[in-house]
Amino acid sequence: KKRFRETDDVFSRDFENLGEIFIRDIKTMSAVYLAPNGIVVKAYPESVYESTIGYDILNDPEKQKDAVRAVLEENTIVAGPLNLIAGGTGLIIRNPAFSDRKFKGFAIAVINWDVFKRNVMTSLYPSLNNYNFAVWKDTDDYKKSDENGYIFSNTSTTVSKNVVIKIEIPGDDWYLAVEPVNGW
């Protein structure tokens, strides 16, 4: 079975070469996709190909909300963390493409949620010995949160919201609370 039509060879090779570079150089990125008219037709790496080719982003009742919003707002939207079709958990970055103000499709990147969290934890060490932090969002339709309502935290206890920083994510707002380990 051929992965691409003969006329797609050059484009497909370029897509795979760029995908390889992105995933190699951006350690948190786990996959890239092209989805003309919202249907995935190109996927990299090979491990996500079979499970995602033909996936209709705009008609997935569970995940279409952010994709439709990206098209309507004509802007990149980051969704997640959520369960991925190819397995695992990730942040999905959907960048809609337009020509003459008509929607043409998406360029999509997936950030591996576990690698992302590990990189954050590594970059904060050794401060983690002195501070607890928690990240949450008020519009978490996917309910990917722990028992405290956090999407990411370095503690199993509740973190006070005395110091809160708003983090603007394309299409969403996340909130970060920080407190000393022994409280204020």
Side-chain angles (χ1 to χ4, degrees):
K1 171 173 135 177
K2 288 190 176 188
R3 287 183 53 189
F4 306 109
R5 295 185 313 254
E6 292 298 324
T7 57
D8 287 343
D9 283 348
V10 172
F11 178 76
S12 298
R13 188 172 46 248
D14 288 346
F15 173 79
E16 289 186 6
N17 289 337
L18 286 172
E20 181 181 4
I21 290 167
F22 289 149
I23 291 170
R24 181 190 67 222
D25 293 349
I26 304 170
K27 301 301 183 206
T28 56
M29 190 176 294
S30 62
V32 291
Y33 303 92
L34 290 179
N37 300 313
I39 299 172
V40 174
V41 298
K42 304 239 186 274
Y44 185 88
E46 183 74 28
S47 61
V48 301
Y49 183 83
E50 286 298 322
S51 61
T52 56
I53 293 301
Y55 172 63
D56 187 348
I57 297 163
L58 295 170
N59 288 305
D60 179 332
E62 189 177 329
K63 299 175 185 161
Q64 77 184 141
K65 178 182 171 187
D66 292 315
V68 169
R69 198 174 67 156
V71 173
L72 293 175
E73 294 177 9
E74 297 184 18
N75 208 348
T76 300
I77 299 286
V78 175
L82 43 86
N83 294 325
L84 303 172
I85 291 171
T89 303
L91 298 173
I92 299 176
I93 304 166
R94 293 184 188 100
N95 185 27
F98 296 86
S99 176
D100 296 323
R101 307 234 355 126
K102 288 179 66 175
F103 172 69
K104 294 298 181 183
F106 293 103
I108 302 166
V110 175
I111 302 297
N112 181 304
W113 184 243
D114 293 329
V115 173
F116 173 80
K117 290 190 309 182
R118 186 172 54 246
N119 286 353
V120 169
M121 298 295 274
T122 301
S123 69
L124 294 176
Y125 184 83
S127 298
L128 294 177
N129 295 329
N130 301 318
Y131 296 95
N132 287 329
F133 74 89
V135 176
W136 72 95
K137 53 186 188 171
D138 289 333
T139 59
D140 189 359
D141 294 332
Y142 302 103
K143 306 298 181 211
K144 293 293 283 181
S145 58
D146 65 16
E147 60 277 355
N148 295 314
Y150 305 140
I151 59 173
F152 183 29
S153 177
N154 71 331
T155 180
S156 60
T157 62
T158 302
V159 176
S160 73
K161 295 183 178 176
N162 292 338
V163 176
V164 175
I165 300 166
K166 181 178 175 181
I167 305 165
E168 293 183 16
I169 304 294
D172 206 350
D173 292 322
W174 292 6
Y175 299 90
L176 167 68
V178 179
E179 72 176 355
V181 169
N182 295 322
W184 295 106

